[in-house]
């Protein structure tokens, strides 16, 4: 039912096709990239797009298309891993808070409030700065910063599910709390968590690009969309294509994940009626 | 109403205290000893010991925290390692620049987001609706630093209409000030405009279904009057509070926008501090932003109660 509703939305299907395309390109980067993304060439410095180099070459004579393709790996990896970190921390905390209630809920909720009080990017920048600049630390910083929102989503869904008759019935027949939580609550909070995770990947891709743009993510010469844009800023007048393609790649990937997330939300929660 | 607001104010105190704990602990994520970083390349053990004593780094963690918190409460956010200036001075100097940028961005976001949201809702499922929703989603998906770079390319490099970077204070020359900030403000406001558009559309759709709108139509009021005086007025309640919340997001977005346009604001302060490993400034900026954000949240709650007729008497 939900799958049919999802497939009936052309925008969601289009987004899914683009996401699958990006994943395929990232996975097959060594096969589909026309050149070595790190191979420099003095004779090819800042060449405009041509039949030989579809997206031109950069300030070190490297093929921009190959770097955009390899950059997809860093961006998608960062998007998925940071969301896994955020979900891995936030969802159990949310289920615990929602299910246990009382003091546990109060303490966890206050910590989440405090973390949410720091604007997302500023906290991610601060964490990445203190941990040290690398893709791995950027993913940790984004994951930790995004965890409180997962906790909120999971907590709200748990409160909703915990009030339902089947959970009460499971409790009434004498199941221990942990089993009720694992067998009855967790599977039923999956839909809202999944929707949030898809939208969070979009947000994490932008966050990784932002951190790399500031020099706090993927370190050169390894390619990443954000660091490519950072380098492109210095050659805006001479080589504008350096700024166009990596940015367009970020935009397309984020748009695709947003479309899939919106589609999933409408498919899994038809009550909304397409209002948002 | 007063009671609930009093409760809300009381609630932010523990939140802010926890924020101070988190910000204080940030320092301890850092690889290595702050004192040895400050001591420079020579690593003189005597100097390191002196710095440790000066910064209270030789005391137990809870004592360090209480000492730091005491200073923060007195308005002393510490000293910048790099600029040798009190962080409170740096913040006071840079914050107005970012506030000007944020205020302009917010006006642009409202001017774009609210009317397009209304049009999309009134003409639901029409080409206008699809266009507005599509542009809104595109706005949400565009990294603002890329939009900034593209605008510089188009408006400054190709057309030569506006300066590509720099900042002139409002008090110095208001025209130049507007010329240097209008493009970054647009970039900053873009994502908020998209959020406001989505929420206005959603709130208007709910509002247009309500009985009071049907009654207004039944009274024979013109459609424009029904939409503007009745439906929009009710729809604006959640939108206004959301707008106040988004002001906090602007502070976050300003980091990258100021970097792209070389605007010496609050965002650039944290980025420069990160590059210079000026950790106390990073801490200070996070703390000030979080405090501002919490206050804005509170303001949004107050505003919600004040403009929502159903809650006014509560």
């Amino acid at each position: 039912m939900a799958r049919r509703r999802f497939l009936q939305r052309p925008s969601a299907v289009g987004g899914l096709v683009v996401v699958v395309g990006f994943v395929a390109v990232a996975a097959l980067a060594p096969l589909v990239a026309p050149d070595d993304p790190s191979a420099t060439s003095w004779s090819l410095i800042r060449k405009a797009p041509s039949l030989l180099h579809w997206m031109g070459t950069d300030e070190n004579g490297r093929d921009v298309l190959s770097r955009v393709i390899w950059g997809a790996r860093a961006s998608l990896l960062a998007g998925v891993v940071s969301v896994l970190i955020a979900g891995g921390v936030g969802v159990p905390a949310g289920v615990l808070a929602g299910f246990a209630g009382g003091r546990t809920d109060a303490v966890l909720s206050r910590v989440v409030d405090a973390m949410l009080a720091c604007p997302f990017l500023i906290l991610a920048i601060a964490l990445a700065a203190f941990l040290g600049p690398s893709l791995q630390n950027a993913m940790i910083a984004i994951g930790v910063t995004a965890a409180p929102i997962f906790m909120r989503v999971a907590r709200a869904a748990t409160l909703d599910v915990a009030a339902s008759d089947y959970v009460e019935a499971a409790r009434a027949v004498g199941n221990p709390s942990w089993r009720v939580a694992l067998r009855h609550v967790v599977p039923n909070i999956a839909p809202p968590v999944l929707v949030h995770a898809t939208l969070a990947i979009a947000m994490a891709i932008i966050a990784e690009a932002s951190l790399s743009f500031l020099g706090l993510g993927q370190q050169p010469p390894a390619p990443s969309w954000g660091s490519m844009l950072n380098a492109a800023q210095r050659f805006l007048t001479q080589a504008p294509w350096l700024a166009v393609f990596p940015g367009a790649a970020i935009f397309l990937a984020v748009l695709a994940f947003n479309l899939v997330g919106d589609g999933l939300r409408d498919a899994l929660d038809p009550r909304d009626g397409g209002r948002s | 109403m007063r009671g609930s607001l009093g409760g809300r104010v009381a609630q932010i105190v523990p939140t802010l205290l926890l924020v101070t704990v988190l910000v204080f602990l940030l320092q301890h994520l850092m690889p290595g000893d702050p004192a040895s970083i400050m001591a420079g390349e020579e690593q003189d053990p005597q100097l390191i010991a002196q710095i440790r004593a000066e910064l209270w780094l030789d005391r137990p963690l809870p004592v360090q925290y209480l000492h730091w918190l005491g200073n923060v409460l007195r308005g002393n956010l510490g000293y910048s390692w790099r600029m040798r200036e009190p962080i409170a001075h740096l913040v006071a100097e840079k914050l107005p620049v970012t506030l000007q940028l944020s205020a302009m961005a917010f006006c642009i976001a409202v001017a774009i987001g609210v009317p397009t949201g209304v049009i999309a809702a009134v003409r639901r499922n029409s080409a206008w609706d699809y266009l507005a929703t599509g542009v809104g989603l595109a706005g949400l998906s565009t990294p603002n630093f890329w939009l900034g770079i593209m605008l510089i390319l188009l408006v400054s490099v190709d057309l030569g209409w506006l300066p590509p970077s720099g900042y002139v204070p409002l008090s110095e020359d208001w025209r130049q000030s507007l010329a240097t900030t209008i493009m970054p403000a647009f970039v900053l406001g873009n994502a908020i405009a998209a959020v406001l558009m989505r929420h206005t559309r959603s709130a208007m759709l709910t509002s247009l279904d309500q009985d009071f709108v049907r009654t207004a139509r039944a009274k024979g009021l013109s459609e424009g009057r029904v939409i503007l005086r009745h439906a929009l007025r009710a729809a604006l309640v959640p939108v206004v509070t959301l707008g106040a919340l988004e002001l906090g997001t602007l502070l976050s977005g300003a980091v990258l926008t100021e970097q792209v346009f070389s605007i010496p604001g609050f965002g650039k302060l944290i980025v420069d501090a990160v590059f210079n490993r000026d950790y106390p400034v990073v801490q200070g900026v996070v703390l000030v932003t979080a405090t501002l954000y919490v206050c804005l949240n509170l303001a949004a709650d107050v505003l919600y109660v004040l403009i929502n007729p159903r809650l006014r008497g509560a």
Side-chain angles (χ1 to χ4, degrees), chain B residues 14-43:
Chain B
T15 306
L16 279 177
L17 267 178
L18 266 172
V19 168
T20 61
V21 175
L22 290 179
V23 172
F24 172 75
L25 289 177
L26 267 181
Q27 189 188 316
H28 294 271
L29 284 176
M30 195 169 60
D33 177 13
S36 61
I37 294 176
M38 282 180 81
E41 282 175 14
E42 283 179 23
Q43 295 291 309

PDB file of all heavy atoms in Angstrom, chain B residues 14-43:
ATOM      1  N   PRO B  14      17.781  25.660  33.375  1.00  0.00           N
ATOM      2  CA  PRO B  14      18.580  24.420  33.304  1.00  0.00           C
ATOM      3  C   PRO B  14      19.132  24.147  31.911  1.00  0.00           C
ATOM      4  O   PRO B  14      20.242  23.637  31.773  1.00  0.00           O
ATOM      5  CB  PRO B  14      17.587  23.325  33.726  1.00  0.00           C
ATOM      6  CG  PRO B  14      16.250  23.940  33.729  1.00  0.00           C
ATOM      7  CD  PRO B  14      16.413  25.408  33.850  1.00  0.00           C
ATOM      8  N   THR B  15      18.349  24.518  30.883  1.00  0.00           N
ATOM      9  CA  THR B  15      18.844  24.301  29.517  1.00  0.00           C
ATOM     10  C   THR B  15      20.132  25.079  29.300  1.00  0.00           C
ATOM     11  O   THR B  15      21.127  24.544  28.810  1.00  0.00           O
ATOM     12  CB  THR B  15      17.781  24.760  28.486  1.00  0.00           C
ATOM     13  OG1 THR B  15      16.572  24.103  28.784  1.00  0.00           O
ATOM     14  CG2 THR B  15      18.212  24.448  27.073  1.00  0.00           C
ATOM     15  N   LEU B  16      20.108  26.357  29.709  1.00  0.00           N
ATOM     16  CA  LEU B  16      21.304  27.182  29.519  1.00  0.00           C
ATOM     17  C   LEU B  16      22.478  26.663  30.343  1.00  0.00           C
ATOM     18  O   LEU B  16      23.624  26.679  29.878  1.00  0.00           O
ATOM     19  CB  LEU B  16      21.005  28.645  29.878  1.00  0.00           C
ATOM     20  CG  LEU B  16      20.304  29.442  28.783  1.00  0.00           C
ATOM     21  CD1 LEU B  16      19.984  30.841  29.256  1.00  0.00           C
ATOM     22  CD2 LEU B  16      21.163  29.519  27.519  1.00  0.00           C
ATOM     23  N   LEU B  17      22.181  26.174  31.553  1.00  0.00           N
ATOM     24  CA  LEU B  17      23.260  25.616  32.387  1.00  0.00           C
ATOM     25  C   LEU B  17      23.884  24.399  31.698  1.00  0.00           C
ATOM     26  O   LEU B  17      25.109  24.252  31.666  1.00  0.00           O
ATOM     27  CB  LEU B  17      22.717  25.206  33.753  1.00  0.00           C
ATOM     28  CG  LEU B  17      22.835  26.270  34.847  1.00  0.00           C
ATOM     29  CD1 LEU B  17      22.218  25.748  36.126  1.00  0.00           C
ATOM     30  CD2 LEU B  17      24.292  26.659  35.091  1.00  0.00           C
ATOM     31  N   LEU B  18      23.022  23.540  31.133  1.00  0.00           N
ATOM     32  CA  LEU B  18      23.541  22.366  30.417  1.00  0.00           C
ATOM     33  C   LEU B  18      24.348  22.788  29.189  1.00  0.00           C
ATOM     34  O   LEU B  18      25.344  22.156  28.843  1.00  0.00           O
ATOM     35  CB  LEU B  18      22.391  21.468  29.980  1.00  0.00           C
ATOM     36  CG  LEU B  18      22.049  20.352  30.936  1.00  0.00           C
ATOM     37  CD1 LEU B  18      20.781  19.640  30.500  1.00  0.00           C
ATOM     38  CD2 LEU B  18      23.190  19.337  30.983  1.00  0.00           C
ATOM     39  N   VAL B  19      23.891  23.876  28.536  1.00  0.00           N
ATOM     40  CA  VAL B  19      24.648  24.397  27.385  1.00  0.00           C
ATOM     41  C   VAL B  19      26.056  24.773  27.841  1.00  0.00           C
ATOM     42  O   VAL B  19      27.048  24.438  27.183  1.00  0.00           O
ATOM     43  CB  VAL B  19      23.939  25.621  26.754  1.00  0.00           C
ATOM     44  CG1 VAL B  19      24.849  26.320  25.767  1.00  0.00           C
ATOM     45  CG2 VAL B  19      22.662  25.193  26.056  1.00  0.00           C
ATOM     46  N   THR B  20      26.150  25.426  29.001  1.00  0.00           N
ATOM     47  CA  THR B  20      27.478  25.825  29.474  1.00  0.00           C
ATOM     48  C   THR B  20      28.343  24.586  29.749  1.00  0.00           C
ATOM     49  O   THR B  20      29.536  24.592  29.451  1.00  0.00           O
ATOM     50  CB  THR B  20      27.413  26.689  30.757  1.00  0.00           C
ATOM     51  OG1 THR B  20      26.802  25.924  31.782  1.00  0.00           O
ATOM     52  CG2 THR B  20      26.697  27.986  30.550  1.00  0.00           C
ATOM     53  N   VAL B  21      27.716  23.515  30.273  1.00  0.00           N
ATOM     54  CA  VAL B  21      28.495  22.288  30.513  1.00  0.00           C
ATOM     55  C   VAL B  21      29.018  21.741  29.183  1.00  0.00           C
ATOM     56  O   VAL B  21      30.206  21.402  29.046  1.00  0.00           O
ATOM     57  CB  VAL B  21      27.626  21.215  31.227  1.00  0.00           C
ATOM     58  CG1 VAL B  21      28.395  19.909  31.352  1.00  0.00           C
ATOM     59  CG2 VAL B  21      27.201  21.701  32.600  1.00  0.00           C
ATOM     60  N   LEU B  22      28.122  21.687  28.166  1.00  0.00           N
ATOM     61  CA  LEU B  22      28.531  21.146  26.864  1.00  0.00           C
ATOM     62  C   LEU B  22      29.654  21.980  26.263  1.00  0.00           C
ATOM     63  O   LEU B  22      30.649  21.445  25.775  1.00  0.00           O
ATOM     64  CB  LEU B  22      27.340  21.131  25.894  1.00  0.00           C
ATOM     65  CG  LEU B  22      26.224  20.128  26.176  1.00  0.00           C
ATOM     66  CD1 LEU B  22      25.118  20.268  25.144  1.00  0.00           C
ATOM     67  CD2 LEU B  22      26.777  18.712  26.142  1.00  0.00           C
ATOM     68  N   VAL B  23      29.485  23.304  26.324  1.00  0.00           N
ATOM     69  CA  VAL B  23      30.501  24.188  25.728  1.00  0.00           C
ATOM     70  C   VAL B  23      31.825  24.048  26.473  1.00  0.00           C
ATOM     71  O   VAL B  23      32.898  23.992  25.869  1.00  0.00           O
ATOM     72  CB  VAL B  23      30.010  25.654  25.732  1.00  0.00           C
ATOM     73  CG1 VAL B  23      31.122  26.600  25.312  1.00  0.00           C
ATOM     74  CG2 VAL B  23      28.824  25.817  24.802  1.00  0.00           C
ATOM     75  N   PHE B  24      31.742  23.926  27.797  1.00  0.00           N
ATOM     76  CA  PHE B  24      32.964  23.768  28.591  1.00  0.00           C
ATOM     77  C   PHE B  24      33.666  22.457  28.217  1.00  0.00           C
ATOM     78  O   PHE B  24      34.887  22.418  28.056  1.00  0.00           O
ATOM     79  CB  PHE B  24      32.614  23.768  30.080  1.00  0.00           C
ATOM     80  CG  PHE B  24      33.760  23.425  30.971  1.00  0.00           C
ATOM     81  CD1 PHE B  24      34.764  24.358  31.212  1.00  0.00           C
ATOM     82  CD2 PHE B  24      33.874  22.172  31.549  1.00  0.00           C
ATOM     83  CE1 PHE B  24      35.842  24.032  32.019  1.00  0.00           C
ATOM     84  CE2 PHE B  24      34.943  21.851  32.356  1.00  0.00           C
ATOM     85  CZ  PHE B  24      35.935  22.785  32.590  1.00  0.00           C
ATOM     86  N   LEU B  25      32.854  21.392  28.030  1.00  0.00           N
ATOM     87  CA  LEU B  25      33.457  20.086  27.734  1.00  0.00           C
ATOM     88  C   LEU B  25      34.076  20.025  26.337  1.00  0.00           C
ATOM     89  O   LEU B  25      34.941  19.196  26.079  1.00  0.00           O
ATOM     90  CB  LEU B  25      32.410  18.973  27.899  1.00  0.00           C
ATOM     91  CG  LEU B  25      32.003  18.694  29.353  1.00  0.00           C
ATOM     92  CD1 LEU B  25      30.924  17.629  29.402  1.00  0.00           C
ATOM     93  CD2 LEU B  25      33.217  18.228  30.180  1.00  0.00           C
ATOM     94  N   LEU B  26      33.613  20.911  25.440  1.00  0.00           N
ATOM     95  CA  LEU B  26      34.173  20.960  24.074  1.00  0.00           C
ATOM     96  C   LEU B  26      35.691  21.023  24.110  1.00  0.00           C
ATOM     97  O   LEU B  26      36.387  20.357  23.355  1.00  0.00           O
ATOM     98  CB  LEU B  26      33.671  22.220  23.358  1.00  0.00           C
ATOM     99  CG  LEU B  26      32.413  22.135  22.503  1.00  0.00           C
ATOM    100  CD1 LEU B  26      32.136  23.491  21.888  1.00  0.00           C
ATOM    101  CD2 LEU B  26      32.553  21.090  21.414  1.00  0.00           C
ATOM    102  N   GLN B  27      36.170  21.860  25.041  1.00  0.00           N
ATOM    103  CA  GLN B  27      37.606  22.094  25.161  1.00  0.00           C
ATOM    104  C   GLN B  27      38.351  20.786  25.416  1.00  0.00           C
ATOM    105  O   GLN B  27      39.485  20.617  24.988  1.00  0.00           O
ATOM    106  CB  GLN B  27      37.840  23.057  26.316  1.00  0.00           C
ATOM    107  CG  GLN B  27      39.249  23.559  26.417  1.00  0.00           C
ATOM    108  CD  GLN B  27      39.423  24.344  27.700  1.00  0.00           C
ATOM    109  OE1 GLN B  27      38.572  25.152  28.051  1.00  0.00           O
ATOM    110  NE2 GLN B  27      40.502  24.102  28.392  1.00  0.00           N
ATOM    111  N   HIS B  28      37.652  19.853  26.100  1.00  0.00           N
ATOM    112  CA  HIS B  28      38.339  18.619  26.477  1.00  0.00           C
ATOM    113  C   HIS B  28      38.297  17.547  25.400  1.00  0.00           C
ATOM    114  O   HIS B  28      38.836  16.463  25.564  1.00  0.00           O
ATOM    115  CB  HIS B  28      37.759  18.104  27.798  1.00  0.00           C
ATOM    116  CG  HIS B  28      38.078  19.053  28.916  1.00  0.00           C
ATOM    117  ND1 HIS B  28      39.215  18.970  29.653  1.00  0.00           N
ATOM    118  CD2 HIS B  28      37.443  20.179  29.330  1.00  0.00           C
ATOM    119  CE1 HIS B  28      39.260  19.987  30.499  1.00  0.00           C
ATOM    120  NE2 HIS B  28      38.185  20.730  30.325  1.00  0.00           N
ATOM    121  N   LEU B  29      37.635  17.890  24.257  1.00  0.00           N
ATOM    122  CA  LEU B  29      37.667  16.986  23.108  1.00  0.00           C
ATOM    123  C   LEU B  29      38.973  17.172  22.347  1.00  0.00           C
ATOM    124  O   LEU B  29      39.377  16.333  21.561  1.00  0.00           O
ATOM    125  CB  LEU B  29      36.527  17.332  22.140  1.00  0.00           C
ATOM    126  CG  LEU B  29      35.125  16.917  22.502  1.00  0.00           C
ATOM    127  CD1 LEU B  29      34.168  17.453  21.454  1.00  0.00           C
ATOM    128  CD2 LEU B  29      35.043  15.407  22.548  1.00  0.00           C
ATOM    129  N   MET B  30      39.586  18.325  22.594  1.00  0.00           N
ATOM    130  CA  MET B  30      40.746  18.725  21.813  1.00  0.00           C
ATOM    131  C   MET B  30      41.907  17.758  22.055  1.00  0.00           C
ATOM    132  O   MET B  30      42.212  17.430  23.197  1.00  0.00           O
ATOM    133  CB  MET B  30      41.139  20.112  22.272  1.00  0.00           C
ATOM    134  CG  MET B  30      42.073  20.813  21.363  1.00  0.00           C
ATOM    135  SD  MET B  30      42.172  22.526  21.874  1.00  0.00           S
ATOM    136  CE  MET B  30      42.757  22.397  23.520  1.00  0.00           C
ATOM    137  N   PRO B  31      42.545  17.285  20.975  1.00  0.00           N
ATOM    138  CA  PRO B  31      43.714  16.450  21.183  1.00  0.00           C
ATOM    139  C   PRO B  31      44.853  17.308  21.736  1.00  0.00           C
ATOM    140  O   PRO B  31      45.132  18.386  21.203  1.00  0.00           O
ATOM    141  CB  PRO B  31      44.043  15.930  19.779  1.00  0.00           C
ATOM    142  CG  PRO B  31      43.364  16.856  18.830  1.00  0.00           C
ATOM    143  CD  PRO B  31      42.247  17.537  19.564  1.00  0.00           C
ATOM    144  N   GLY B  32      45.472  16.880  22.791  1.00  0.00           N
ATOM    145  CA  GLY B  32      46.603  17.642  23.333  1.00  0.00           C
ATOM    146  C   GLY B  32      46.180  18.600  24.422  1.00  0.00           C
ATOM    147  O   GLY B  32      45.000  18.797  24.698  1.00  0.00           O
ATOM    148  N   ASP B  33      47.167  19.213  25.032  1.00  0.00           N
ATOM    149  CA  ASP B  33      46.975  20.079  26.185  1.00  0.00           C
ATOM    150  C   ASP B  33      46.923  21.547  25.722  1.00  0.00           C
ATOM    151  O   ASP B  33      47.844  21.992  25.026  1.00  0.00           O
ATOM    152  CB  ASP B  33      48.175  19.832  27.120  1.00  0.00           C
ATOM    153  CG  ASP B  33      48.145  20.727  28.337  1.00  0.00           C
ATOM    154  OD1 ASP B  33      47.093  21.336  28.575  1.00  0.00           O
ATOM    155  OD2 ASP B  33      49.179  20.805  29.030  1.00  0.00           O
ATOM    156  N   PRO B  34      45.850  22.285  26.070  1.00  0.00           N
ATOM    157  CA  PRO B  34      45.772  23.687  25.629  1.00  0.00           C
ATOM    158  C   PRO B  34      47.002  24.488  26.045  1.00  0.00           C
ATOM    159  O   PRO B  34      47.472  25.339  25.286  1.00  0.00           O
ATOM    160  CB  PRO B  34      44.523  24.218  26.325  1.00  0.00           C
ATOM    161  CG  PRO B  34      43.812  23.069  26.880  1.00  0.00           C
ATOM    162  CD  PRO B  34      44.712  21.890  26.877  1.00  0.00           C
ATOM    163  N   ALA B  35      47.530  24.183  27.237  1.00  0.00           N
ATOM    164  CA  ALA B  35      48.674  24.955  27.724  1.00  0.00           C
ATOM    165  C   ALA B  35      49.885  24.761  26.809  1.00  0.00           C
ATOM    166  O   ALA B  35      50.602  25.720  26.500  1.00  0.00           O
ATOM    167  CB  ALA B  35      49.014  24.546  29.151  1.00  0.00           C
ATOM    168  N   SER B  36      50.098  23.515  26.343  1.00  0.00           N
ATOM    169  CA  SER B  36      51.270  23.301  25.489  1.00  0.00           C
ATOM    170  C   SER B  36      51.040  23.909  24.108  1.00  0.00           C
ATOM    171  O   SER B  36      51.997  24.332  23.455  1.00  0.00           O
ATOM    172  CB  SER B  36      51.638  21.817  25.396  1.00  0.00           C
ATOM    173  OG  SER B  36      50.591  21.104  24.831  1.00  0.00           O
ATOM    174  N   ILE B  37      49.771  23.983  23.650  1.00  0.00           N
ATOM    175  CA  ILE B  37      49.506  24.664  22.374  1.00  0.00           C
ATOM    176  C   ILE B  37      49.828  26.151  22.519  1.00  0.00           C
ATOM    177  O   ILE B  37      50.477  26.755  21.668  1.00  0.00           O
ATOM    178  CB  ILE B  37      48.032  24.483  21.936  1.00  0.00           C
ATOM    179  CG1 ILE B  37      47.774  23.005  21.611  1.00  0.00           C
ATOM    180  CG2 ILE B  37      47.702  25.352  20.725  1.00  0.00           C
ATOM    181  CD1 ILE B  37      46.344  22.681  21.254  1.00  0.00           C
ATOM    182  N   MET B  38      49.400  26.725  23.658  1.00  0.00           N
ATOM    183  CA  MET B  38      49.632  28.153  23.879  1.00  0.00           C
ATOM    184  C   MET B  38      51.120  28.461  24.065  1.00  0.00           C
ATOM    185  O   MET B  38      51.575  29.552  23.751  1.00  0.00           O
ATOM    186  CB  MET B  38      48.870  28.633  25.122  1.00  0.00           C
ATOM    187  CG  MET B  38      47.399  28.837  24.862  1.00  0.00           C
ATOM    188  SD  MET B  38      46.598  29.407  26.361  1.00  0.00           S
ATOM    189  CE  MET B  38      47.000  31.143  26.302  1.00  0.00           C
ATOM    190  N   ALA B  39      51.861  27.478  24.575  1.00  0.00           N
ATOM    191  CA  ALA B  39      53.273  27.729  24.880  1.00  0.00           C
ATOM    192  C   ALA B  39      54.124  27.869  23.619  1.00  0.00           C
ATOM    193  O   ALA B  39      55.282  28.285  23.697  1.00  0.00           O
ATOM    194  CB  ALA B  39      53.806  26.606  25.757  1.00  0.00           C
ATOM    195  N   GLY B  40      53.553  27.513  22.464  1.00  0.00           N
ATOM    196  CA  GLY B  40      54.287  27.676  21.210  1.00  0.00           C
ATOM    197  C   GLY B  40      55.257  26.545  20.964  1.00  0.00           C
ATOM    198  O   GLY B  40      55.172  25.478  21.592  1.00  0.00           O
ATOM    199  N   GLU B  41      56.210  26.793  20.053  1.00  0.00           N
ATOM    200  CA  GLU B  41      57.074  25.699  19.586  1.00  0.00           C
ATOM    201  C   GLU B  41      58.144  25.305  20.602  1.00  0.00           C
ATOM    202  O   GLU B  41      58.633  24.189  20.608  1.00  0.00           O
ATOM    203  CB  GLU B  41      57.735  26.095  18.266  1.00  0.00           C
ATOM    204  CG  GLU B  41      56.777  25.947  17.084  1.00  0.00           C
ATOM    205  CD  GLU B  41      57.364  26.455  15.791  1.00  0.00           C
ATOM    206  OE1 GLU B  41      58.592  26.665  15.750  1.00  0.00           O
ATOM    207  OE2 GLU B  41      56.583  26.668  14.855  1.00  0.00           O
ATOM    208  N   GLU B  42      58.528  26.256  21.442  1.00  0.00           N
ATOM    209  CA  GLU B  42      59.654  25.969  22.333  1.00  0.00           C
ATOM    210  C   GLU B  42      59.312  24.956  23.426  1.00  0.00           C
ATOM    211  O   GLU B  42      60.170  24.225  23.895  1.00  0.00           O
ATOM    212  CB  GLU B  42      60.168  27.259  22.963  1.00  0.00           C
ATOM    213  CG  GLU B  42      61.016  28.037  21.964  1.00  0.00           C
ATOM    214  CD  GLU B  42      61.519  29.329  22.538  1.00  0.00           C
ATOM    215  OE1 GLU B  42      61.594  29.439  23.774  1.00  0.00           O
ATOM    216  OE2 GLU B  42      61.816  30.229  21.754  1.00  0.00           O
ATOM    217  N   GLN B  43      58.033  24.919  23.816  1.00  0.00           N
ATOM    218  CA  GLN B  43      57.554  23.952  24.810  1.00  0.00           C
ATOM    219  C   GLN B  43      58.352  24.007  26.122  1.00  0.00           C
ATOM    220  O   GLN B  43      58.780  22.963  26.637  1.00  0.00           O
ATOM    221  CB  GLN B  43      57.586  22.528  24.218  1.00  0.00           C
ATOM    222  CG  GLN B  43      56.625  22.325  23.063  1.00  0.00           C
ATOM    223  CD  GLN B  43      55.157  22.349  23.487  1.00  0.00           C
ATOM    224  OE1 GLN B  43      54.744  21.662  24.402  1.00  0.00           O
ATOM    225  NE2 GLN B  43      54.371  23.193  22.848  1.00  0.00           N
TER     226      GLN B  43
END
